[in-house]
Amino acid sequence: MISFEIITLFPKFFLSPLKESILRKAQEKGLIRVRVHNLRDYTKDKHHVTDDYPYGGGAGMVLKPEPVVEALEETRDCRSNSQSILLTPRGKCFSQNMAEQLTNYQQIIFVCGRYEGVDERIRTFVDREISIGDYILNGGESAALVIVETVSRLIHGVLGSHESISGESFTTGLLEYPQYTRPKSFRDYAVPDVLLSGNHEEIRRWRLREALKMTFLRRPDLFETKMLSDEEKKILNNIKQELSMLQDKKS
Ligand code: 6GU
């Protein structure tokens, strides 16, 4: 069982996302536990102040260190192998690889930063800093949900067999091949014949080719890190030839 602890100024933000679908079932099955902690509960002053004006002046407020560090220390389970994460646009960019690493911890504690900033000294009290991409959110709350969901679905038993992850993109290192369901023809757009052929080997090869083509066209950067099998190399070369022939015809 992996425990996620989320330290936030906006606990209600998490109410419905954690009560739906796969994350709800994962909690009911006891595979994950998610607890949301209100940062204001860890203040010691009468007015429960969590932020203050920045020294040196400037716009916006800065998250104070005392409540955050108090929350981290009260939440951390010393008996389990625990990882604390500050969510901030300055962090290392989240990835499927990072999610796989995080499944090795028994407890993951998130501190949701605010976009105006957190007191710099908070950074020395967390194990790492993570961002979920190159854009600015109002705070780390959405990022915490993204990471909880990504890590949870890697835990054995969270997905049913029909939702299996073995063939999906970023597991194979390729973008996914196109999928179709009924009807066979929709507004003059037909399902590719090969998928109706019942020939499993041909279908496998078609899907691999489409996945390689999609990746080559949209995310060629993924090939920089992916190891290709001999079959994949052959198909990819064939795709490049085909595409360059199409180019030649146009010009
Ligand atoms: Cl973790 N926080 C904020 N405020 N913005 C972000 C982010 C995190 N990741 C991407 N943008």
Side-chain angles (χ1 to χ4, degrees), residues 87-89 115 130-133 135-140 143:
L87 296 165
T88 159
Y115 80 104
I130 297 180
S131 156
I132 59 164
Y135 39 80
I136 302 297
L137 301 165
N138 293 332

Side-chain angles (χ1 to χ4, degrees), residues 9 39-40 43 45 47-68 114-122:
L9 284 168
L39 186 59
R40 277 172 72 84
T43 52
D45 63 301
H47 295 105
H48 304 289
V49 178
T50 55
D51 57 6
D52 208 337
Y53 297 98
Y55 276 123
M61 300 290 274
V62 174
L63 217 53
K64 290 166 69 62
E66 308 97 308
V68 172
R114 296 269 80 213
Y115 80 104
E116 299 100 314
V118 305
D119 186 287
E120 190 66 25
R121 292 165 291 185
I122 289 172

Side-chain angles (χ1 to χ4, degrees), residues 1-38:
M1 148 104 95
I2 178 164
S3 290
F4 298 100
E5 319 282 349
I6 303 173
I7 299 167
T8 175
L9 284 168
F10 305 102
K12 289 200 294 269
F13 183 94
F14 297 92
L15 281 180
S16 89
L18 296 173
K19 280 200 299 214
E20 295 283 351
S21 185
I22 291 172
L23 287 182
R24 176 177 56 78
K25 283 183 231 156
Q27 292 172 90
E28 286 169 359
K29 289 188 213 162
L31 296 168
I32 65 166
R33 179 173 66 177
V34 190
R35 291 191 293 201
V36 180
H37 307 273
N38 191 339

Side-chain angles (χ1 to χ4, degrees), residues 143-166:
L145 277 177
V146 164
I147 298 172
V148 167
E149 178 166 333
T150 310
V151 172
S152 295
R153 60 198 299 291
L154 293 173
I155 292 164
H156 187 80
V158 167
L159 296 188
S161 52
H162 52 286
E163 301 149 326
S164 139
I165 55 175
S166 65

